Amino acid sequence: MHSPSRLGRLGAFSARHPVWVIAAWLLLLAGAALGRHLADPTYSDQIALPSTQSRTGADLLARSAPGVGDPSGRVVFHVGSGSLAGHRQAVDESRADLAEMDHVTAASPVVTSADGRTAYTTVSFDRQVKTLGHGYRDTLDAATAPARASGVEVAYGGDLNQVVRPPANDKASEAVGVVAALLILVLTFGSIAAALLPLATALISVGVGIGVVGIVAGTVTFATAAPTLATMIGLGVGIDYALFLTTRFRQDLIDGHDPVDAAGRTAASSGRAVVVAAVTVVVAMLSLYACGLSFIGRMGLAATLVVAITGAAALTLVPAALGLVGRRIDRFTVRRPVAETSGSQDGWHRYAALVARHPWKFLTAGTLLLGLFAVPLLSMRLGHVDDGADKAGSSTRQAYDWIAEGTGPGFGPGANGPLVLVADLHHATAAADRIGAELTAALRDTAGVARFTPLTPSPDGKLLISTLTPATGPQTADTGSLFTRLTDTTLPTALRGTGAEGYLTGSTAGQLDFRDTVKDRLPLIIGIVLAAALLLLTVVFRSVVIPLKAVALNLFTTAASYGILVAVFQWGWGSGLIGLSEPVPIESFVPMMMFANVFGLSMDYEIFLLSAIAGTWHRTRDNTLAVGTGLAATGRVISSAALIMTAVFLSFAASPTVVVKMLALGLAVSVILDATVVRLVLVPAAMFLMGRANWWLPPFLDRLLPHPGEAAGHGEGPGRARG
């Protein structure tokens, strides 16, 4: 971390040479865009789960029964009335054409429902379906043209959703977020020039960051949602960092400093808080690698790259833009510009005095409110959002519904998520017939199994294979319970004493294994993030109590955010407002991603508030004055920053991707709760109650901990109050 003087010199240099610094950033933007184009980035949601039973089962199939475990999808045929019998020739012709497509290894015989209105064929591929690209839909449409020409409806399901589902396009969400941020900035600053500056610098830095993510994606495969998540977080923190700096710069101008000096002072004070805030977010994001799942870790890496670049822009590009605009920062006013605080009798000072008179009341009310929001968390159910949550009328949703509504073998809700049972006979001490009989009897007695195919030996005789159809859909709690029951009880009990081992594999089994893996490793991520935050804040603020309080309150924020997420997505409260057609489980990795994001982002506001409080404390040693002054100095700017970040996040709730909706809503809720209930109620109330104990640091820790120059806020805070 840079010392304050170095940050001040960097800010002053940037303000003194604004054209060169801005030109350098624009050159970086162009280079990043070109590099992203040349790198030909790839994105995939394929998840590797080594050592899990679904992966073991898949590997056994690949060795002993080539083709059985190949990637596959379903092509579903349907007529609204009558029967498919009159269209049989056209359906068979389409199945034959499907079998001849590039990369297809087989197209299974057509399976028809009992009522004759729905049929499907399973198409197997020699590679992951995702790699075929969205253009492969034209090939599918050409192959199924005979069926459609005869009046049959056709839809694509299973893994084919990866090529027929329209690519997520969140450009409209980005545009809405930018416009909303601009309106809030205009209202905050009162001038067009001051509002455009944070927005322009954030867009440039995020553009560079996304370009870098694309370049890295040329060699490292990110999840498909990673660029959207990185853009969402980058825009939020980029605008916020620039907002804090611009607010402080305007105050220094009002106090009589020239623009270059004001930019240097801004970088030396608020810039220091930006560094601490950005480092906190980066540490939280990179901690996701500790879960051992590269899919999740790389999503954190994508966000880290953008946050680090926006932090660098806040220390160079923003001061350069401030130096270039100078005293013209308040040009084109729409109302009278205001300073950080209007004096000791303004509204924020009066509010701080009110909290100081009734700290227990404020602390109790805030805690009860967050506790109420957190109640739904107790019923959180992790799972995978399947095609049943896709937009009504889409090809994937139609295929899902037709299979679920069909009757007879191969149909019903569970047919959308079958499980493949693999019995490994390599070390079996009992005959295969006996093992098959034991498994058959056990499966018949297992509640939740709608049907299963006869256990069939693999070509080399080393495996017994069966396909199980659950009685319920793949994203339901009952199917998750069935999976656990089969793997923990049914299979081990049936195979006990035979030397054989049983595994469940397939897409649904893989998703449920992923759910269990994430659930097991979430406590590790929480522990790492908490420990890193405690250490960082202890070093920065030279206190033990302040970091403990910050961590505890951020846990409250996270719990409340989780609770609201459960209420909206799992319980369905207001889900129609964000375009969700039915209640869904919470996607397995969302809580882990949200924890790292919420913790990192909420620390931004904590650091800016505490920096202002610490500035007055180290100057006066008066805790009541320090808390009141810090709250008054940062209350308006933190509220505005939170409103901007909330607007940006909420704009992404319109994304067609359900996981993006979850992250967007969860982050928006967490930011608004953190900036209001936590930052403006719980933090000041707790600090008023603890008094001088806030600043206690055992002497032995003071000797052990590094002293990175002047800690954040020991001088002037990011928004020190002025008369």
Side-chain angles (χ1 to χ4, degrees):
M1 190 182 303
H2 296 294
S3 67
S5 59
R6 292 179 64 185
L7 286 176
R9 288 196 299 270
L10 178 62
F13 173 84
S14 299
R16 196 175 295 114
H17 306 284
V19 175
W20 288 105
V21 174
I22 294 172
W25 274 98
L26 292 176
L27 187 62
L28 281 175
L29 178 62
L34 178 62
R36 183 185 185 191
H37 175 72
L38 296 177
D40 190 23
T42 58
Y43 302 94
S44 174
D45 292 330
Q46 193 69 26
I47 301 171
L49 293 172
S51 302
T52 59
Q53 58 96 34
S54 60
R55 182 70 262 167
T56 303
D59 291 341
L60 287 169
L61 283 176
R63 289 195 298 268
S64 295
V68 175
D70 284 352
S72 64
R74 279 179 175 164
V75 177
V76 186
F77 307 95
H78 179 78
V79 289
S81 60
S83 169
L84 283 169
H87 307 273
R88 189 70 192 194
Q89 182 177 349
V91 171
D92 287 342
E93 185 179 344
S94 289
R95 190 202 72 82
D97 290 345
L98 288 167
E100 296 299 321
M101 294 189 306
D102 290 342
H103 307 295
V104 170
T105 58
S108 70
V110 174
V111 179
T112 306
S113 63
D115 61 9
R117 295 173 54 197
T118 306
Y120 69 85
T121 177
T122 300
V123 182
S124 301
F125 298 88
D126 61 8
R127 61 178 62 187
Q128 294 298 327
V129 180
K130 175 72 177 179
T131 63
L132 299 175
H134 291 287
Y136 199 74
R137 173 158 190 165
D138 294 338
T139 304
L140 289 167
D141 288 343
T144 56
R148 285 198 305 276
S150 73
V152 176
E153 296 180 79
V154 180
Y156 310 112
D159 286 351
L160 284 176
N161 61 17
Q162 299 174 44
V163 294
V164 302
R165 188 178 286 154
N169 185 355
D170 295 306
K171 297 299 181 184
S173 298
E174 295 174 21
V176 171
V178 168
V179 171
L182 178 59
L183 292 175
I184 298 168
L185 286 167
V186 169
L187 293 175
T188 299
F189 287 120
S191 77
I192 302 297
L196 286 174
L197 191 147
L199 191 59
T201 54
L203 288 173
I204 291 172
S205 61
V206 170
V208 174
I210 293 300
V212 171
V213 169
I215 293 171
V216 175
T219 54
V220 174
T221 302
F222 290 113
T224 53
T228 300
L229 176 65
T231 300
M232 186 166 58
I233 295 173
L235 276 177
V237 300
I239 294 173
D240 273 12
Y241 293 163
L243 171 62
F244 286 124
L245 294 166
T246 305
T247 302
R248 174 59 191 270
F249 175 79
R250 292 175 69 250
Q251 183 65 65
D252 279 329
L253 290 181
I254 292 171
D255 289 346
H257 296 280
D258 68 79
V260 172
D261 183 40
R265 290 169 59 84
T266 295
S269 54
S270 293
R272 183 173 54 247
V274 165
V275 171
V276 177
V279 168
T280 304
V281 177
V282 166
V283 169
M285 292 292 97
L286 291 181
S287 69
L288 291 169
Y289 268 107
C291 72
L293 299 170
S294 59
F295 174 82
I296 294 177
R298 288 172 181 174
M299 288 187 76
L301 174 62
T304 294
L305 292 172
V306 177
V307 169
I309 290 170
T310 55
L315 302 176
T316 53
L317 178 60
V318 174
L322 293 172
L324 183 65
V325 174
R327 298 190 183 280
R328 299 186 298 275
I329 190 73
D330 287 324
R331 289 284 297 274
F332 312 114
T333 58
V334 296
R335 65 171 175 78
R336 185 178 68 84
V338 296
E340 290 171 329
T341 180
S342 303
S344 60
Q345 298 304 314
D346 70 359
W348 286 107
H349 276 93
R350 292 195 298 273
Y351 171 74
L354 177 64
V355 178
R357 290 194 300 271
H358 308 285
W360 277 113
K361 291 182 180 178
F362 279 86
L363 186 66
T364 302
T367 303
L368 287 176
L369 182 61
L370 290 182
L372 179 64
F373 287 145
V375 169
L377 168 62
L378 300 175
S379 64
M380 177 182 281
R381 180 172 64 83
L382 300 182
H384 174 62
V385 180
D386 61 27
D387 294 351
D390 284 357
K391 184 178 179 180
S394 64
S395 180
T396 51
R397 176 64 180 272
Q398 284 186 322
Y400 185 96
D401 289 344
W402 290 340
I403 293 292
E405 294 164 3
T407 57
F411 292 88
N416 282 303
L419 302 168
V420 179
L421 168 61
V422 178
D424 180 12
L425 308 180
H426 282 82
H427 304 289
T429 56
D433 289 346
R434 178 196 158 192
I435 294 172
E438 295 283 354
L439 285 172
T440 298
L443 292 174
R444 283 176 180 160
D445 293 338
T446 302
V449 176
R451 67 186 68 88
F452 58 93
T453 61
L455 285 139
T456 306
S458 60
D460 63 1
K462 298 296 185 180
L463 307 176
L464 290 177
I465 305 168
S466 174
T467 299
L468 281 67
T469 302
T472 50
Q475 71 178 20
T476 63
D478 288 341
T479 296
S481 298
L482 172 63
F483 175 79
T484 303
R485 187 160 56 250
L486 287 168
T487 54
D488 292 355
T489 304
T490 302
L491 297 184
T493 301
L495 296 175
R496 185 177 297 129
T498 66
E501 296 288 340
Y503 305 95
L504 292 180
T505 189
S507 297
T508 302
Q511 290 292 345
L512 292 169
D513 262 341
F514 182 66
R515 175 203 66 180
D516 295 340
T517 303
V518 169
K519 189 186 300 183
D520 291 343
R521 298 181 186 180
L522 180 59
L524 174 63
I525 297 299
I526 292 175
I528 291 174
V529 173
L530 294 185
L534 280 171
L535 178 60
L536 181 64
L537 292 181
T538 301
V539 171
V540 171
F541 292 108
R542 316 304 298 176
S543 164
V544 170
V545 176
I546 285 178
L548 287 173
K549 172 192 61 63
V551 165
L553 293 181
N554 281 331
L555 285 175
F556 289 161
T557 302
T558 305
S561 303
Y562 283 172
I564 293 175
L565 209 63
V566 170
V568 173
F569 287 90
Q570 195 174 309
W571 293 359
W573 291 6
S575 58
L577 298 176
I578 56 174
L580 199 65
S581 60
E582 63 175 26
V584 296
I586 305 303
E587 187 70 38
S588 302
F589 63 87
V590 163
M592 186 179 287
M593 289 296 304
M594 261 192 66
F595 181 80
N597 280 283
V598 168
F599 209 88
L601 295 175
S602 63
M603 278 296 179
D604 281 3
Y605 301 136
E606 179 84 5
I607 288 165
F608 279 97
L609 173 59
L610 290 178
S611 295
I613 293 173
T616 302
W617 162 257
H618 288 285
R619 209 168 49 251
T620 66
R621 297 290 164 173
D622 185 330
N623 181 72
T624 301
L625 175 65
V627 176
T629 301
L631 183 62
T634 62
R636 185 175 67 88
V637 70
I638 285 180
S639 299
S640 299
L643 193 57
I644 290 169
M645 194 176 284
T646 300
V648 170
F649 288 161
L650 281 180
S651 68
F652 282 87
S655 170
T657 306
V658 177
V659 171
V660 174
K661 289 181 187 289
M662 284 188 187
L663 289 170
L665 182 64
L667 293 176
V669 166
S670 70
V671 166
I672 204 67
L673 287 178
D674 189 80
T676 54
V677 180
V678 174
R679 249 17 92 201
L680 302 183
V681 177
L682 295 180
V683 169
M687 293 192 74
F688 280 131
L689 284 170
M690 288 186 284
R692 296 179 66 88
N694 285 306
W695 311 98
W696 177 69
L697 181 70
F700 79 92
L701 269 183
D702 191 36
R703 292 191 300 270
L704 289 175
L705 293 173
H707 291 70
E710 187 178 9
H714 287 198
E716 295 176 292
R720 178 185 149 196
R722 293 168 174 78

